[in-house]
Amino acid sequence: MSATRDEILRALEAVTLPDGKTLPASGRLTDIVVKDGKAIFAIVIDPSEVNALEGARASAEAIVKRLPGVTGALVGLTADRPQGAPKPAAPAPTPLRSGPKIEAPATSKLAGVPGVKHIIAVASGKGGVGKSTTSCNLALGLAALGLKVGILDADIYGPSQPKLFGLRGKPTVTADRKLQPLERYGVKVMSIGFLVDEETAMIWRGPMVMSALTQMLREVAWGDLDVMVVDMPPGTGDAQLTMAQQTPLAGAVVVSTPQDLALLDARRGVAMFRKVNVPVLGIIENMANFCCPNCGHVSPIFGHGGARAEAEKTGVPFLGEIPLHMDIRATSDEGRPVVATAPEGPHSRAYLAIARKVWETLESGSAAKPAPKIVIE
Ligand code: ADP
């Protein structure tokens, strides 16, 4: 028989938070869901408390996993407060002083993933701009440079990487109880799409998203990687912001189409990463030109060039453009991505050039750091 919610709450009394309160008494627990013996819940935090409360999260998960009748536990930290939940105590304000103060941008203090050299996010201000297709081909481009590459499909609401890589099946569990990523075209792939069916993935709620990302980051046998590409969920809402903040990112790439609306969204994407002090490696213009598959004629149907101008305006590098072409869509749908299956073609060359720029920036450590913030107190 599964453990009940009350039994789990009783067990969680053994977890004490830095303020001395036990986890159940802290008012920070979201609803505890028990399904088929698996317990799922999250601890509500202020984004600044991630490091302070990671230990409590891990203990809570370990304690619940050991309860009789529990087959698994998924415990996350979330800044996505459920309605009615109390706001966690904000960190003490700094005393008032006169005069402006230069605040250095905080660098990521999150623990990295052992064996993984650089983690980069691929994001977009909205859905449908080709973020997943770009993540997949960028990962393949990095692998074509001879690098060890993994891709983490964090687009939990609509995982596309299984289809893009033509992968099916469930990851196996290793002896040390980690999930073994699937592998194709020399790239290791982990996606929630391997674990739950598509419709279940669509109804994931905010707190669960962070738990799933944490597990896919830390409880997967990634091995040694030069680069891990994280395909983020589209948009710049709270869930994306929390993910950007809680993942030890070396940098982020923003994908945009040339339309004005998408560019506005891209600007929001750049602003989101700047807010959490993640360097923006650059903007990619996807579907830049329409290239006719019959005659090869190129038409700038969306008014091409906007992303380059936008990149210049916002002071982030322009990484390159990818044309709108039938072959890119068709190969993606068939699970035969263009960089893997037509490596000498013009589209692959475009992705490869971008991959090279991304890798050079990562290795040189010259990713544009956010400018220091001037705070008037
Ligand atoms: P997102 O992840 O931003 O929602 P997808 O990568 O799923 O977007 O792409 C949306 C659709 O556009 C898919 O059908 C994909 O095959 C297609 N697509 C993406 N980039 C291109 C491109 N450069 N040329 C043609 N089709 C593309």
Side-chain angles (χ1 to χ4, degrees):
M1 209 186 72
S2 319
T4 63
R5 205 178 150 272
D6 284 346
E7 283 164 339
I8 292 172
L9 277 174
R10 262 199 306 280
L12 289 176
E13 279 168 12
V15 182
T16 312
L17 302 188
D19 63 3
K21 289 190 182 142
T22 67
L23 194 46
S26 68
R28 290 170 178 262
L29 280 177
T30 62
D31 260 359
I32 299 176
V33 178
V34 187
K35 192 162 180 268
D36 301 330
K38 186 160 188 176
I40 307 172
F41 58 92
I43 303 169
V44 181
I45 61 161
D46 181 89
S48 61
E49 298 175 304
V50 173
N51 294 324
L53 294 179
E54 168 56 26
R57 186 205 67 78
S59 316
E61 197 167 82
I63 285 172
V64 174
K65 265 185 191 161
R66 284 201 301 268
L67 285 178
V70 170
T71 53
L74 197 65
V75 181
L77 294 177
T78 179
D80 199 14
R81 213 151 27 100
Q83 274 187 340
K87 190 172 175 0
T94 43
L96 285 180
R97 249 184 276 127
S98 55
K101 184 178 81 162
I102 307 286
E103 218 180 56
T107 45
S108 173
K109 292 191 193 72
L110 299 177
V113 177
V116 180
K117 205 165 170 193
H118 304 288
I119 304 180
I120 61 168
V122 178
S124 62
K126 63 167 193 172
V129 302
K131 169 188 57 60
S132 298
T133 309
T134 308
S135 308
C136 163
N137 283 295
L138 173 62
L140 289 162
L142 289 161
L145 299 178
L147 302 169
K148 292 197 219 71
V149 181
I151 185 161
L152 191 169
D153 185 1
D155 191 348
I156 235 126
Y157 303 106
S160 319
Q161 296 306 331
K163 180 170 153 202
L164 283 161
F165 277 85
L167 281 167
R168 276 163 188 274
K170 297 240 179 287
T172 53
V173 179
T174 61
D176 56 350
R177 301 188 58 78
K178 290 198 164 180
L179 289 176
Q180 187 69 48
L182 275 67
E183 192 162 344
R184 186 123 197 238
Y185 307 122
V187 171
K188 290 181 179 166
V189 187
M190 180 49 72
S191 168
I192 199 76
F194 296 142
L195 306 171
V196 290
D197 63 46
E198 230 167 78
E199 272 166 37
T200 318
M202 296 299 286
I203 55 157
W204 282 61
R205 299 266 163 79
M208 307 296 166
V209 173
M210 209 41 237
S211 321
L213 176 67
T214 309
Q215 289 205 328
M216 289 200 291
L217 203 58
R218 308 203 178 270
E219 293 178 27
V220 167
W222 288 109
D224 288 335
L225 294 182
D226 294 304
V227 190
M228 179 193 286
V229 176
V230 180
D231 180 11
M232 297 273 287
T236 50
D238 276 358
Q240 290 83 344
L241 190 72
T242 311
M243 285 168 105
Q245 190 163 40
Q246 296 194 15
T247 311
L249 292 172
V253 170
V254 175
V255 180
S256 174
T257 55
Q259 297 103 307
D260 275 343
L261 183 63
L263 290 173
L264 259 180
D265 289 313
R267 205 171 302 163
R268 281 194 204 106
V270 170
M272 172 176 83
F273 288 108
R274 286 190 163 158
K275 201 162 158 184
V276 293
N277 290 310
V278 171
V280 179
L281 302 169
I283 296 182
I284 298 176
E285 182 169 290
N286 188 37
M287 310 190 194
N289 277 309
F290 172 68
C291 179
C292 173
N294 297 321
C295 66
H297 178 72
V298 173
S299 330
I301 52 174
F302 295 129
H304 149 249
R308 185 189 289 272
E310 183 58 30
E312 276 164 16
K313 220 187 303 165
T314 43
V316 301
F318 179 68
L319 290 171
E321 57 199 43
I322 305 292
L324 172 68
H325 197 282
M326 275 287 285
D327 289 351
I328 298 181
R329 197 203 53 74
T331 52
S332 302
D333 282 354
E334 291 162 4
R336 303 173 60 254
V338 72
V339 173
T341 54
E344 304 301 331
H347 311 317
S348 296
R349 282 205 298 274
Y351 284 116
L352 271 167
I354 292 173
R356 210 168 283 121
K357 279 192 195 157
V358 166
W359 177 245
E360 279 166 11
T361 314
L362 288 172
E363 278 296 271
S364 68
S366 65
K369 288 266 191 301
K373 230 176 16 196
I374 298 180
V375 184
I376 309 286
E377 288 181 337

